[in-house]
Amino acid sequence: YDIERDDNLALRDYPTLGRAIEFVYERRPDLKRSKGAAAAAQEARAAAAPEGAAQAAAMPEPEAAGEAAASPAGAAGAGTMPLRGSLEAAQAVPRREPAAVVRPAATRFPRTGVELAEGSRVIVVPDERGVGAALAERLGKRGVEVLVADPSAPSEALVAEVEGWREGGSVTGLYWLPALDATLPAELVEPADRKEALRRRVKALHALARALYGDLAAPGTFMVAATRLGGRHGYDPEGALDPAGGAVTGFTKSLRRERPEALVKAVDFEPSRKTAALADLLIQETLSDPGVVEVGYAAGHRWTVGLGERPVEAGAPLPADSVYLVTGAAGSIVSAILTDLAGTGGTFWLLDLAPEPDRSDPDLERIVSDREGLRADLIRRLQTDGGRVTPAMVERELVRIERAQAALAAILALEEGGATVHYRSLDLRDPAAVTAVVGDVLAGKGRVDVLLHAAGLEISRALPDKSPEEFALVFDVKVEGWFNLVAALGDAPLGRVMAFSSIAGRFGNLGQTDYAAANDVLCKAISEMRRSRPDTRALAVDWTAWGEIGMAARGSMPAIMKAAGIDMLAPEAGMGVVRRELTAGSRGEVVIAGGLGVMVAEDPDAARLEPSGAAASLATAGPMVGRVLGWSLFDGLVVETELDPRAQPFLDHHRIEGVAVLPGVMGLEAMAEAAGVGFPELHVTALEDVGFHAPFKFYRDEPRAVTVHVTYDADGEDVLARCRVEGARVLAGRDEPEVTTHFTGTVRLSPVAPDVMRARTVPDPDGEVVGASSIYRTYFHGPAYQVLERAWRSQGLVAGRFAEHLPPNHEPAERVTLTTPRLVELAFQTAGLAEMALSERMGLPSGFRRLELLRPANGEVGSNALASPCAEGSEGAFDVDVTDAAGRVVLALREYRTSALPGRVSLAALRDDGG
């Protein structure tokens, strides 16, 4: 095509045939000068991709809301399939909830490659409270050339100022700080104030990032934004402080997808008057830890956003007189959802930009029964005007009819199910129109029981091609629509809310800076309702693309999704999810998707921990940390250790029917050691809510790898390490290994080492003493785990004395353990004897509520364990204290339980035979 070569082009910016055709029309010399080039490119793209607007390899809007013809996501087949929601299908799809997780200091992770030194040129768009000023001062002291831009200037003026400064050299990075000035609730209610607040935070960011797009293409460049959502991005019990900050976070996550070579981060803070400290943290985040996009600081900890599966069950059906308010009602997916809700009764107010469907229009039936015949008729109709008919024109008309048919199908289904239906055509961006309709809704019963905000528009386009007008259109449909609804509702009772977001909003996506920004505002607004409307059950749903119906089911999108490893959602599952979440009264944010593929893919080099002196010494000190595999955002720290029964006494001397089994106490030690890798400066003070799920066996004495997954939370100053110990085996006839969870629990890490002074007297025996030879005729333990020298009853408890002259627990023997495993084993075995004495049953450990490490164990010899049944309410459980030779309590085990082995244990077997 005689197009000049451009080495700055990236193939990822042209992922569809439509974009490639557009490129040709834009770049061909003979067309480049043509006034009609842009129009010709648009028509060519539409002809090449009739499934919708320019779709990059992106996550489309799960529900087309009819807000713009620019995104013809119609109701293809909405009335052709008798789809019904299935709770069973819904339960088969993973339900994941984003959650704040603690992350070690940025300096524990690799450097980002950014240099803030002489020769660097950085733009700071500041806040009004002084963080930006302090940041500029610190950058200046490093020799960085800094432009402090005016955040209050119109976007065009801001861009002009920056472009003028760029003439002095390319830009190293951008700090975007206006969202540190949290918006007031009143600013988001008043349309004019809201418009300016959002322009200043995200629309100006769009304009500036668009201008700097080329500068942010290389390693060593950056864009760091800051928000004031509360320090945990709104994923905390109090909820987000400033929903408008979500626009910046959503934009940032998508920009990271478009500019993967640059460092792109959103740093969140709690309310604070500090300026210098926050500036230092922003610099630290710029220099270290490239493996995270969302990071924050609150309650003395550093946080990021993780993801965990949280299943829920459906609740009782909603009352038959419920009032429903639904936006985006003419889209195919919302139409299907409404059809599935038919039969629940109630009053439905359906809002959409599309006009109310004409029930007598024959085209609405033909779009279902004779689509191709209708297409031919439409061509003839359009030709009557004498103009040129393009495929795009025909497709837009088909989409209009599809949406009308979808809306009518929903209306008829609801009416047949006994509901009263009101349809209103309006633009949700019009505050007066929204206020008028909501006034009509409240005039009935004065309340809204269910608000479904599904309105939305998606036009995927890389940032340089995304005009301010297009950005505003996509963003405003969702965001202005939401705030107009909330303002119109005022203080009226609002029972349940479900806002439709997307996995693009949660993770960011190519070509969707506007769409992700809008969706993340919705998610943060739902989070904020914990503060403003604590009685409302508000939920944001991050949908994957729906299959079979909706825009994503068209054209090449299913193939693109499959190649990206992202599962599409079966409609019956999606409809079942809506019914489940509404009846369960869910709140917060939930990701509904199967495989997430590229959305959760991570760079292993960025996910590693940098070795520090403390971490390195810890990793080599204990026997249960072999190597650190990495630090995944979504699965936490991963530590792996290979164990050999022929080399480790704790395995060789712990066999059941000849098979080596990992002792439960070494499973605990594995969790404690792995937890400490992330925070070597902290001390293990307790293990809590521990479960023993399956024995970890070493068949044929072959070595096996023990893998520990750790995610971190906080409790005051303490860090809570949620641990999962897994093992994998390849079974005969299978290609993939079978992964089993063997132990779970929480390790409490504290800034102060345990040193609790508590003494306990060891009572003398009331009667006979049971010796080791009798005990280990019943117990299966080998020499290294024959920790009881003798045991006796006294004063309603069972006491056990630690044995002397035991062989080493592990090799090399000099490696230090954190939990003193054989003292914990002393507690377990003594509790087991107490259980035999009381119930003539023997069991294997099944779990406990808490193991407190009260002070450093001063060796093992001379220790005693005192076991007694728990108080009423914890039947079958035992409490155990372990003392050292001086009578000081070093371990306190609470609510220890076992799983009973078959058969009864004869007390006669435990009588001392003098051995």
Side-chain angles (χ1 to χ4, degrees):
Y1 293 104
D2 205 23
I3 297 173
E4 185 178 349
R5 180 178 180 84
D6 183 349
D7 291 331
N8 292 322
L9 289 177
L11 182 60
R12 64 176 169 268
D13 294 334
Y14 299 89
T16 67
L17 181 58
R19 288 291 290 122
I21 292 173
E22 184 179 12
F23 166 81
V24 172
Y25 273 87
E26 290 171 346
R27 301 293 185 104
R28 269 179 66 176
D30 59 330
L31 289 175
K32 199 172 182 180
R33 295 181 296 273
S34 168
K35 293 182 180 179
Q42 181 72 22
E43 290 182 7
R45 184 173 68 244
E51 67 268 23
Q55 295 173 355
M59 179 54 48
E61 172 67 42
E63 176 50 45
E67 299 298 345
S71 182
T80 65
M81 294 178 292
L83 294 172
R84 298 297 294 176
S86 166
L87 290 175
E88 183 178 358
Q91 294 299 83
V93 178
R95 181 187 187 277
R96 305 175 179 97
E97 291 184 7
V101 294
V102 173
R103 189 172 176 91
T107 52
R108 295 290 318 284
F109 294 91
R111 299 273 294 184
T112 62
V114 175
E115 297 294 335
L116 296 176
E118 276 194 50
S120 300
R121 305 185 78 241
V122 173
I123 299 167
V124 176
V125 182
D127 60 322
E128 295 178 345
R129 298 188 180 186
V131 176
L135 176 61
E137 180 184 358
R138 278 158 169 71
L139 292 172
K141 289 180 179 179
R142 288 171 166 263
V144 177
E145 186 178 351
V146 181
L147 168 66
V148 179
D150 182 2
S152 63
S155 300
E156 297 82 359
L158 177 64
V159 171
E161 180 184 12
V162 167
E163 288 184 335
W165 188 70
R166 285 178 70 233
E167 294 177 1
S170 62
V171 174
T172 307
L174 166 66
Y175 286 104
W176 184 262
L177 309 184
L180 283 176
D181 302 319
T183 55
L184 299 173
E187 288 183 89
L188 297 178
V189 172
E190 173 56 41
D193 292 342
R194 179 172 67 240
K195 182 178 180 179
E196 174 56 21
L198 292 171
R199 184 207 66 80
R200 183 166 174 161
R201 280 157 183 78
V202 72
K203 293 180 180 177
L205 173 58
H206 160 257
L208 188 53
R210 194 172 176 229
L212 296 174
Y213 199 75
D215 298 74
L216 300 177
T221 60
F222 70 91
M223 195 285 279
V224 174
T227 58
R228 193 81 72 167
L229 293 164
R232 284 172 273 198
H233 289 273
Y235 299 105
D236 56 80
E238 292 76 25
L241 287 174
D242 177 19
V248 175
T249 305
F251 181 97
T252 302
K253 288 184 286 190
S254 279
L255 182 62
R256 172 66 177 268
R257 299 278 180 182
E258 293 196 27
R259 281 293 181 243
E261 300 300 325
L263 172 79
V264 182
K265 278 187 181 180
V267 187
D268 189 36
F269 294 103
E270 61 189 338
S272 170
R273 294 181 179 273
K274 297 177 181 178
T275 56
L278 271 59
D280 289 337
L281 290 173
L282 288 170
I283 290 174
Q284 190 178 99
E285 291 294 341
T286 308
L287 299 176
S288 297
D289 197 0
V292 63
V293 181
E294 295 167 290
V295 68
Y297 291 85
H301 299 286
R302 183 172 183 254
W303 302 83
T304 187
V305 181
L307 202 63
E309 289 200 26
R310 303 285 188 274
V312 298
E313 298 290 337
L318 298 179
D321 65 342
S322 296
V323 178
Y324 297 79
L325 179 59
V326 183
T327 70
S332 58
I333 289 173
V334 174
S335 174
I337 289 169
L338 293 173
T339 302
D340 184 62
L341 292 175
T344 60
T347 302
F348 284 77
W349 290 82
L350 309 183
L351 314 185
D352 200 282
L353 186 64
E356 182 171 2
D358 180 356
R359 302 186 187 213
S360 64
D361 185 350
D363 286 349
L364 303 191
E365 190 279 328
R366 288 192 67 192
I367 194 72
V368 176
S369 62
D370 184 21
R371 182 184 178 89
E372 292 310 310
L374 177 60
R375 181 191 297 272
D377 278 355
L378 289 174
I379 293 173
R380 286 191 289 270
R381 294 178 203 173
L382 292 169
Q383 284 174 337
T384 59
D385 295 335
R388 177 170 172 252
V389 178
T390 67
M393 294 166 61
V394 177
E395 193 66 27
R396 281 195 292 270
E397 187 64 11
L398 281 171
V399 166
R400 181 193 64 77
I401 298 169
E402 286 174 339
R403 296 189 63 79
Q405 191 278 329
L408 181 58
I411 292 169
L412 294 176
L414 289 170
E415 290 177 344
E416 290 169 7
T420 300
V421 181
H422 303 276
Y423 189 98
R424 294 289 187 271
S425 174
L426 79 163
D427 187 336
L428 288 174
R429 296 169 295 175
D430 182 345
V434 174
T435 299
V437 169
V438 172
D440 291 342
V441 174
L442 296 178
K445 297 182 180 178
R447 69 176 195 272
V448 172
D449 297 296
V450 176
L451 169 59
L452 284 180
H453 184 46
L457 169 66
E458 191 278 324
I459 306 174
S460 292
R461 224 189 296 272
L463 193 56
D465 300 325
K466 190 170 286 295
S467 68
E469 294 76 19
E470 184 177 284
F471 187 97
L473 175 64
V474 172
F475 184 82
D476 290 349
V477 167
K478 273 186 178 289
V479 175
E480 290 292 327
W482 166 262
F483 285 113
N484 285 336
L485 285 167
V486 171
L489 284 166
D491 296 329
L494 179 59
R496 287 165 166 78
V497 174
M498 181 179 286
F500 280 28
S501 179
S502 165
I503 60 174
R506 172 83 297 277
F507 304 108
N509 203 17
L510 289 167
Q512 295 185 322
T513 49
D514 44 9
Y515 182 59
N519 277 307
D520 218 12
V521 170
L522 279 189
C523 292
K524 300 308 184 276
I526 290 295
S527 172
E528 188 277 335
M529 291 182 84
R530 298 175 202 166
R531 299 170 178 269
S532 60
R533 283 185 174 267
D535 296 332
T536 297
R537 312 295 295 186
L539 179 72
V541 183
D542 300 326
W543 297 105
T544 186
W546 286 45
E548 301 181 36
I549 56 177
M551 182 169 63
R554 296 167 171 240
S556 60
M557 190 54 66
I560 293 173
M561 299 281 290
K562 184 176 181 180
I566 302 172
D567 291 338
M568 299 183 76
L569 184 67
E572 60 270 21
M575 290 183 281
V577 165
V578 173
R579 187 182 291 271
R580 179 189 69 196
E581 302 296 333
L582 286 178
T583 58
S586 301
R587 66 197 315 169
E589 183 179 346
V590 62
V591 176
I592 300 297
L596 288 166
V598 297
M599 290 292 181
V600 293
E602 298 181 66
D603 179 357
D605 291 333
R608 73 179 190 273
L609 281 171
E610 287 291 281
S612 66
S617 64
L618 176 63
T620 57
M624 296 304 292
V625 172
R627 60 189 183 124
V628 177
L629 298 185
W631 194 300
S632 165
L633 281 175
F634 306 108
D635 203 22
L637 172 70
V638 184
V639 174
E640 183 181 82
T641 306
E642 187 166 281
L643 298 177
D644 186 349
R646 294 165 295 188
Q648 284 295 358
F650 63 78
L651 294 175
D652 189 33
H653 297 181
H654 193 265
R655 295 177 179 269
I656 299 177
E657 298 180 351
V659 178
V661 178
L662 180 68
V665 295
M666 294 307 291
L668 303 181
E669 178 67 20
M671 291 193 285
E673 290 185 23
V677 169
F679 294 87
E681 70 279 11
L682 301 181
H683 305 273
V684 176
T685 56
L687 286 87
E688 301 167 351
D689 301 320
V690 169
F692 296 70
H693 303 289
F696 195 113
K697 298 182 179 181
F698 293 77
Y699 296 99
R700 297 180 296 279
D701 275 359
E702 294 177 351
R704 287 186 66 188
V706 175
T707 305
V708 186
H709 299 262
V710 190
T711 60
Y712 294 89
D713 198 352
D715 181 17
E717 293 185 338
D718 291 351
V719 171
L720 303 180
R722 319 278 189 197
C723 300
R724 183 176 80 251
V725 180
E726 292 182 346
R729 285 198 309 140
V730 178
L731 303 180
R734 297 188 184 180
D735 295 330
E736 295 296 322
E738 180 181 77
V739 178
T740 302
T741 297
H742 296 275
F743 308 96
T744 57
T746 298
V747 179
R748 181 174 289 271
L749 303 168
S750 303
V752 179
D755 190 14
V756 177
M757 287 299 297
R758 197 172 92 202
R760 188 164 181 189
T761 302
V762 179
D764 294 329
D766 285 343
E768 63 182 328
V769 175
V770 181
S773 59
S774 297
I775 293 170
Y776 294 104
R777 281 203 307 267
T778 301
Y779 281 158
F780 56 82
H781 305 79
Y785 273 69
Q786 293 181 359
V787 297
L788 279 165
E789 177 186 280
R790 60 185 183 273
W792 63 94
R793 286 186 181 184
S794 182
Q795 302 175 16
L797 53 79
V798 171
R801 172 63 58 84
F802 192 84
E804 299 185 20
H805 311 302
L806 294 180
N809 175 69
H810 52 269
E811 294 291 344
E814 62 271 16
R815 287 196 170 184
V816 178
T817 58
L818 299 178
T819 61
T820 323
R822 289 199 293 198
L823 285 187
V824 181
E825 183 68 23
L826 176 67
F828 284 6
Q829 292 189 23
T830 304
L833 291 177
E835 185 175 38
M836 291 183 214
L838 286 174
S839 62
E840 296 190 357
R841 65 187 287 274
M842 185 170 73
L844 298 177
S846 66
F848 55 81
R849 181 178 62 82
R850 185 176 173 87
L851 173 65
E852 297 177 84
L853 310 180
L854 299 178
R855 59 179 296 105
N858 186 20
E860 298 170 335
V861 176
S863 297
N864 295 280
L866 307 173
S868 58
C870 290
E872 187 176 347
S874 300
E875 290 81 2
F878 291 84
D879 292 339
V880 188
D881 284 343
V882 175
T883 66
D884 63 11
R888 297 170 299 192
V889 178
V890 294
L891 302 176
L893 179 64
R894 296 295 176 260
E895 295 184 29
Y896 168 78
R897 297 181 183 274
T898 67
S899 296
L901 294 171
R904 299 177 70 84
V905 177
S906 170
L907 292 180
L910 292 175
R911 293 192 182 118
D912 192 3
D913 61 357

